[in-house]
Amino acid sequence: MLLVPALLCPPGAGASRADVFALDASDVQAQSILAAEKQRREAVAGGNVEALKRIVSREYYHVESNGRMRTRTAFLQAVSNKAFASVDYQPSDTEVQMAPGGATAVVVGTFSAVQQAGVPRRIRARFVRVWVRQGGAWVNTIHQSTEIAPAQVVAGGDWRAR
């Protein structure tokens, strides 16, 4: 069962941000989005730039968990150079949100992975990706991730994220 919040409904369209409905796991639209997510994940992990060229739109923006933004060209080059090399990539809490009309979808969730570029380290992050239907296929237009950092006590007893 996939939870699909109606976040993409414009105000006055009869749905509010609080509206949530469930899609059956056999829902064709949701399954096609999840299949595209899997293709993207495997292409990034395998450094398959040719596959990513089919999945990533020409207007693509990639915002990394450290705040760095890359265009499509820079992202594809980084994949080619293994800048996103990681192992044990595990997505979780994935939700598919469909816009009215079914031509746009947002996928949100979390993931954990061991980054291999530079000093290996395990990270956990939240992600959001926007997918648009173009020419009968889903293409990823935006990716954004935010690392989930554990809170730490600092001098004076104040709490803050590291």
Side-chain angles (χ1 to χ4, degrees):
M1 186 81 52
L2 298 169
L3 292 179
V4 183
L7 296 178
L8 299 175
C9 292
S16 72
R17 292 183 142 270
D19 292 334
V20 176
F21 58 94
L23 287 178
D24 186 281
S26 66
D27 180 88
V28 175
Q29 289 280 59
Q31 290 306 310
S32 66
I33 297 286
L34 294 174
E37 280 281 314
K38 182 178 180 187
Q39 288 175 342
R40 182 191 183 284
R41 184 170 57 246
E42 290 173 352
V44 170
N48 189 340
V49 173
E50 291 307 311
L52 285 169
K53 285 180 180 178
R54 292 186 298 274
I55 298 170
V56 174
S57 81
R58 294 198 182 279
E59 300 81 23
Y60 180 78
Y61 287 99
H62 184 97
V63 182
E64 299 172 18
S65 59
N66 63 8
R68 179 178 183 172
M69 190 198 64
R70 298 180 196 253
T71 62
R72 178 183 194 254
T73 301
F75 170 70
L76 295 174
Q77 183 175 14
V79 170
S80 178
N81 294 335
K82 308 283 188 225
F84 296 108
S86 63
V87 295
D88 195 28
Y89 181 93
Q90 300 292 323
S92 60
D93 304 321
T94 303
E95 296 181 14
V96 176
Q97 305 170 19
M98 300 298 298
T104 305
V106 174
V107 178
V108 296
T110 60
F111 72 86
S112 67
V114 176
Q115 289 183 328
Q116 296 293 315
V119 176
R121 69 183 187 101
R122 176 163 292 282
I123 65 163
R124 278 190 65 230
R126 297 189 193 289
F127 70 89
V128 61
R129 280 188 277 277
V130 177
W131 293 84
V132 176
R133 197 92 162 134
Q134 290 180 354
W138 288 107
V139 293
N140 185 204
T141 59
I142 297 172
H143 162 91
Q144 194 275 323
S145 61
T146 303
E147 189 169 355
I148 301 169
Q152 296 180 353
V153 176
V154 294
D158 294 329
W159 286 90
R160 67 177 182 162
R162 68 172 166 103

